[in-house]
């Protein structure tokens, strides 16, 4: 039996729009033991917050063990839900983890599940599907094997990306009757241009959201535009947008500047109130 150990890259991101900005180091280790086409794999991601000297913390990151082969991959542990995998697969998040994070522009529910039992298919001519069941393990008194479910279908070929997904948190969420959601999305890249759009229908608060992102690359630079719209039966109707510019200093280091703004409209109690927030950020990301 051949054995190999694969260590994934550890990255550090530094955003410094203000003197007191936080700095977070995050990383992961991925080990694979090979034998006759079958692999035993595991991953444990962890993070360290330099801003307050906090200890290593892995509670919010992926940590799992599994088997993989030509037939696909089975995983058990804490892992991104297939719904979340599908949502990001369209390329919608063109400036993730910045003030222009697509999830921040339209608050989309995305989950990493603990105790997840998941299957991810092999790539079949650009088509991949994933499914997961999540035992409640006593959460909200849920003790079944399928207290939560998440499925996603993703396609990528010749610059075209398509995705659809469904997720039901069931008894795992705060509101067991309204914790399911559906999304569809698409992305396309042609030469220097990329565009992506995702639509989400979430039963919780009857929330619907739309994200649209586009980018144009020139030289070592990339101009990014993003738009997000969210409304629900609670009376809120939020519109967000952002514009950002990135510059690749090297293959591993990127500088960026971004501006984002959100207009929040609250129509509760037959009264309309508008609240606008905006922000500007300059940052540097280095991967090593």
């Amino acid at each position: 039996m051949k054995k190999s150990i694969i260590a994934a890259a550890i990255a550090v991101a530094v955003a410094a729009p203000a003197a007191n900005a936080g700095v977070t180091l995050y990383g992961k280790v991925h080990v694979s033991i090979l034998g006759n086409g079958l692999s035993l794999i595991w991953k444990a991601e962890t993070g360290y917050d330099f801003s307050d000297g906090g200890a290593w913390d892995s509670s919010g990151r992926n940590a799992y063990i599994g088997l993989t082969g030509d037939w696909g991959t089975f995983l058990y542990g804490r892992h991104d839900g297939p719904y979340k995998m599908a949502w990001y697969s369209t390329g919608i998040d063109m400036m993730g983890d910045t003030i222009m994070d697509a999830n921040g522009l339209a608050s989309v529910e995305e989950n990493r599940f603990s105790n997840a039992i998941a299957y991810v298919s092999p790539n079949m001519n650009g088509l991949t599907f994933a499914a997961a069941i999540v035992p409640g393990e006593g959460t909200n008194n849920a003790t079944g094997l399928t207290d939560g479910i998440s499925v996603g279908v993703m396609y990528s070929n010749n610059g075209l990306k398509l995705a659809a997904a469904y997720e039901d948190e069931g008894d795992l969420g705060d509101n067991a009757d309204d914790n399911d959601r559906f999304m569809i999305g698409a992305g396309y890249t042609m030469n220097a241009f990329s565009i992506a759009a995702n639509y989400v229908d979430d039963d919780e608060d009857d929330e619907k959201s739309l994200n649209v992102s586009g980018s144009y690359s020139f030289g070592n630079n990339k101009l990014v535009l993003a738009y997000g719209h969210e409304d629900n039966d609670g009376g809120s109707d939020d519109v967000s947008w952002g514009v950002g510019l990135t510059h690749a200093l090297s293959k591993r280091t990127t500088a960026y500047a971004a501006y984002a703004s959100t207009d929040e409209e609250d129509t509760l109690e037959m009264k309309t109130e508008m609240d606008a927030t905006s922000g500007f950020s300059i940052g540097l990301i280095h991967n090593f």
Side-chain angles (χ1 to χ4, degrees):
M1 177 182 292
K2 298 181 180 179
K3 297 182 179 179
S4 73
I5 298 178
I6 305 171
I10 298 175
V12 64
V14 180
N20 61 349
V23 180
T24 300
L25 173 70
Y26 60 93
K28 60 184 177 182
V29 176
H30 183 170
V31 176
S32 176
I33 302 175
L34 310 174
N36 299 323
L38 182 66
S39 300
L40 170 67
I41 60 172
W42 63 270
K43 178 186 287 187
E45 296 181 346
T46 189
Y48 186 90
D49 192 343
F50 282 95
S51 62
D52 59 7
W56 295 98
D57 179 19
S58 60
S59 60
R61 307 299 304 177
N62 288 342
Y64 59 80
I65 189 169
L67 289 173
T68 187
D70 294 339
W71 40 265
T73 301
F74 275 103
L75 303 171
Y76 172 73
R78 182 168 178 82
H79 192 268
D80 292 344
Y83 178 96
K84 178 179 180 180
M85 295 165 60
W87 194 84
Y88 282 104
S89 72
T90 62
I92 191 69
D93 205 16
M94 297 181 180
M95 288 189 67
D97 298 325
T98 73
I99 198 172
M100 280 180 59
D101 190 291
N103 191 9
L105 294 180
S107 299
V108 177
E109 183 78 17
E110 58 177 47
N111 290 300
R112 282 189 178 98
F113 291 109
S114 297
N115 308 306
I117 303 169
Y119 171 75
V120 182
S121 77
N123 187 314
M124 298 171 289
N125 296 319
L127 180 67
T128 305
F129 67 89
I133 57 175
V134 186
E137 296 280 312
T139 301
N140 294 340
N141 296 318
T143 58
L145 184 64
T146 58
D147 292 311
I149 60 172
S150 182
V151 294
V153 179
M154 297 148 278
Y155 176 80
S156 179
N157 197 14
N158 293 325
L160 176 65
K161 298 179 179 180
L162 302 173
Y166 173 79
E167 184 170 271
D168 187 350
E169 292 181 75
D171 294 328
L172 302 177
D174 296 330
N175 185 350
D177 294 329
D178 296 306
N179 268 298
D180 61 303
R181 55 195 61 90
F182 171 77
M183 69 80 60
I184 55 174
Y188 185 68
T189 297
M190 182 177 63
N191 299 324
F193 292 93
S194 292
I195 189 169
N198 286 359
Y199 174 78
V200 172
D201 190 336
D202 195 325
D203 275 356
E204 189 170 6
D205 296 325
D206 194 24
E207 186 175 276
K208 296 175 175 60
S209 62
L210 173 68
N211 284 93
V212 181
S213 298
S215 70
Y216 172 70
S217 300
F218 53 103
N220 292 337
N221 308 295
K222 182 169 68 173
L223 177 66
V224 179
L225 302 175
Y227 169 85
H229 181 226
E230 174 191 352
D231 65 76
N232 59 54
D233 63 1
S236 68
D237 187 2
D238 303 340
V239 176
S240 304
W241 62 272
V243 56
L245 180 67
T246 69
H247 176 73
L249 298 172
S250 68
K251 291 183 178 180
R252 297 182 177 184
T253 307
T254 301
Y256 70 86
Y259 176 86
S261 178
T262 299
D263 292 326
E264 300 177 355
E265 180 180 1
D266 190 349
T267 58
L268 289 175
E269 299 179 355
M270 304 301 293
K271 180 176 63 175
T272 299
E273 296 180 354
M274 295 294 295
D275 183 24
T277 58
S278 61
F280 178 74
S281 177
I282 298 175
L284 184 70
I285 298 175
H286 179 67
N287 298 302
F288 61 93

